[in-house]
């Protein structure tokens, strides 16, 4: 059961209104923990990630508190520490009652915005005409619960869902994030059943997250990309980038050869899953790198629609975002096709999402 639900719905709507892909109740763990068992630090009530475009990806943190005795300045200082830990850009603290003016002004100096619920609504409406009830399926709390509940029903899906719900949102290295996403998807791919709405929900979230990572990946790789590159040079450069440099590639090649030799298996070339199609996808995204993540938000919205009641207002917004530029729907279909190519069961989900994308733009 999600606590402070009304405030979290407001935070999600704010994210959607400003083009941020929302995540809810993201668990924070320290990645360099030296103990055998990872210790949970805290969680973020709502996190918004805006895919890379003209600028690098941006992150908003939302702290939602309905307790009347919560200190405004205390929450502001807490949120500022969270910003530093996560290397996020801004924080919003939504409180039950207004904070003193001095607290609000002081909080602004540390990139924290203190709002009572009513004032946050006023700020949301003033900042975007899309801050409306019913504008998105992503504020459906039952859908978030359904996504999280899949961990218990399908244990093999648990690592993927936990990654999508927390670590993926915080990952700063898009190549590492994308590789980890594919690794977790590999563990879960045999569990996908396109006839189940919750599985279609999860698949859509995977595609959306892939687009978030790829938007940052091509944003960075574009610095060394030359449209006149021969295919062989492009592939070599991309492979080195994805694996953290030429030495990283060589190290993993040697490791794979050693493992396959130890198991007396046939030696296969070391590659990212679906390498040829990944090269095709990346090259296409580099034709318009600033638009590579444009469909990440509407794709995640369509995923949540699988387990929600229809909303004409949300459908209208999704259609606008998918048709607002010539690349959004094209890139959504392209990334969806790549993810679906990784296994037969994923292809069934990919075909369904392709149909949903087509229907959404009619």
């Amino acid at each position: 059961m999600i606590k402070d639900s009304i405030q979290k719905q407001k935070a999600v709507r704010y994210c959607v209104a400003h083009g941020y892909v929302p995540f809810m109740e993201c668990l924070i763990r320290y990645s360099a923990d030296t103990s055998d068992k990872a210790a949970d630090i805290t969680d973020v009530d709502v996190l918004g990630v805006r895919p890379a475009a003209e600028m690098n990806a941006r992150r908003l943190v939302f702290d939602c508190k309905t307790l009347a005795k919560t200190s405004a300045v205390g929450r502001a200082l807490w949120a500022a520490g969270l910003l530093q830990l996560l290397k996020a850009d801004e924080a919003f603290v939504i409180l039950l009652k207004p904070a003193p003016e001095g607290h609000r002004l002081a909080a602004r100096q540390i990139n924290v915005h203190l709002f009572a619920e009513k004032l946050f609504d006023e700020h949301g409406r003033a900042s975007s005409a899309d801050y409306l009830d019913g504008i998105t399926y992503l504020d459906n709390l039952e859908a978030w619960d359904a996504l999280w509940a899949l961990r218990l029903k399908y244990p093999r899906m648990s690592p993927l869902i936990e990654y999508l719900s927390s670590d993926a949102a915080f990952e700063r290295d898009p190549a590492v994030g994308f590789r980890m996403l594919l690794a977790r998807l590999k563990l879960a791919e045999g569990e996908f059943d396109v006839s189940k709405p919750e599985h279609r929900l999860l698949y859509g979230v995977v595609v959306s997250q892939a687009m978030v990572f790829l938007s940052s990946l091509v944003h960075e790789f574009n610095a060394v990309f030359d449209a006149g590159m021969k295919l062989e040079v492009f592939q070599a450069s991309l492979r080195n980038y994805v694996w953290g440099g030429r030495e990283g590639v060589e190290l993993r090649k040697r490791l794979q050869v050693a493992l396959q030799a130890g198991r007396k298996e046939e030696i296969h070339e070391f590659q990212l899953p679906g390498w040829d199609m990944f090269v095709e996808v990346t090259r296409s995204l580099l034709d318009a790198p600033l638009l590579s993540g444009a469909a990440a938000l509407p794709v995640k919205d369509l995923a949540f629609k699988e387990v929600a009641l229809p909303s004409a207002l949300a459908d209208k917004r999704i259609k606008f975002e998918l048709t607002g530029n010539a690349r959004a729907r094209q890139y959504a279909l392209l990334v969806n096709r790549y993810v679906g190519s990784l296994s037969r069961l994923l292809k069934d989900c990919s075909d369904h999402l392709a149909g949903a994308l087509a229907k959404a733009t009619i």
Side-chain angles (χ1 to χ4, degrees):
M1 187 68 178
I2 296 176
K3 298 179 180 179
D4 305 323
S5 58
I6 294 177
Q7 291 184 341
K8 290 175 182 176
Q9 286 176 315
K10 295 177 187 293
V12 168
R13 290 170 198 154
Y14 186 90
C15 288
V16 171
H18 290 271
Y20 287 77
V21 179
F23 300 77
M24 191 175 291
E25 297 188 341
C26 304
L27 185 65
I28 300 175
R29 290 175 175 167
Y30 187 56
S31 60
D33 195 341
T34 57
S35 64
D36 293 334
K37 184 177 181 181
D40 299 341
I41 297 175
T42 184
D43 66 354
V44 177
D45 291 330
V46 175
L47 181 81
V49 179
R50 186 162 65 191
E54 294 87 353
M55 301 174 64
N56 292 329
R58 283 179 54 84
R59 286 168 174 80
L60 300 182
V61 170
F62 294 84
D63 187 33
C64 304
K65 297 300 171 190
T66 54
L67 297 177
K69 294 183 179 179
T70 299
S71 165
V73 69
R75 296 315 304 180
L77 294 173
W78 165 262
L82 206 56
L83 280 182
Q84 185 174 2
L85 178 64
L86 301 177
K87 297 181 176 62
D89 299 284
E90 288 183 278
F92 291 80
V93 178
I94 308 176
L95 301 165
L96 188 62
K97 59 182 181 179
E101 290 184 6
H103 290 192
R104 282 181 274 166
L105 291 171
R108 291 293 296 272
Q109 301 303 308
I110 50 177
N111 286 332
V112 178
H113 307 272
L114 290 174
F115 286 107
E117 285 187 24
K118 182 179 178 182
L119 290 175
F120 183 78
D121 280 334
E122 292 176 2
H123 172 73
R125 286 190 289 267
S127 61
S128 174
D130 282 341
Y131 181 77
L132 297 167
D133 186 10
I135 198 71
T136 178
Y137 294 105
L138 290 163
D139 63 357
N140 186 309
L141 302 183
E142 289 77 14
W144 288 100
D145 284 335
L147 179 61
W148 193 241
L150 280 175
R151 298 176 308 115
L152 302 178
K153 295 180 182 178
Y154 305 92
R156 289 180 61 186
M157 285 183 167
S158 182
L160 174 62
I161 296 167
E162 291 179 359
Y163 181 70
L164 289 168
S165 300
S166 297
D167 293 343
F170 305 133
E171 181 58 64
R172 310 296 300 193
D173 187 325
V176 171
F178 189 71
R179 296 199 317 261
M180 182 61 72
L181 177 64
L182 294 184
R184 297 293 178 92
L185 182 60
K186 179 68 175 177
L187 295 175
E189 62 186 16
E191 299 293 324
F192 278 86
D193 182 349
V194 71
S195 69
K196 293 180 169 61
E198 295 89 347
H199 291 206
R200 300 196 297 267
L201 161 64
L202 176 58
Y203 178 82
V205 173
V206 169
V207 175
S208 173
Q209 187 60 53
M211 297 195 75
V212 172
F213 283 142
L214 287 170
S215 70
S216 291
L217 192 151
V218 300
H219 186 268
E220 293 183 2
F221 188 72
N222 191 48
V224 297
F225 171 66
D226 181 352
M229 280 181 172
K230 292 184 178 179
L231 178 60
E232 296 79 9
V233 176
F234 175 75
Q235 288 187 348
S237 181
L238 180 62
R239 183 183 296 108
N240 290 340
Y241 171 76
V242 167
W243 293 101
R246 183 167 53 83
E247 290 186 3
V249 173
E250 293 303 320
L251 177 62
R252 286 171 172 82
K253 279 184 178 179
R254 292 196 296 270
L255 179 60
Q256 183 184 25
V257 169
L259 286 173
Q260 291 177 339
R263 297 170 183 170
K264 298 181 179 179
E265 297 175 349
E266 181 182 353
I267 304 299
H268 296 286
E269 185 178 5
F270 170 76
Q271 295 284 21
L272 198 71
W275 173 251
D276 290 339
M277 188 171 292
F278 175 73
V279 171
E280 176 189 340
V281 168
T282 307
R283 181 61 186 84
S284 295
L285 294 177
L286 284 164
D287 286 338
L290 303 187
L291 301 176
S292 56
L297 176 56
V299 166
K300 192 164 186 176
D301 234 319
L302 283 176
F304 273 63
K305 184 179 179 180
E306 294 289 349
V307 294
L309 294 175
S311 166
L313 189 59
D315 290 342
K316 181 178 179 181
R317 197 208 91 249
I318 292 168
K319 178 179 179 179
F320 176 79
E321 292 181 359
L322 288 174
T323 59
N325 67 71
R327 298 289 187 172
R329 181 172 174 269
Q330 174 194 349
Y331 285 165
L333 290 169
L334 192 63
V335 175
N336 173 48
R337 185 163 64 91
Y338 167 71
V339 175
S341 72
L342 300 178
S343 81
R344 180 182 61 80
L345 295 178
L346 291 177
K347 185 179 185 305
D348 292 339
C349 293
S350 173
D351 291 342
H352 177 84
L353 180 56
L357 284 165
K359 186 177 179 181
T361 54
I362 295 176

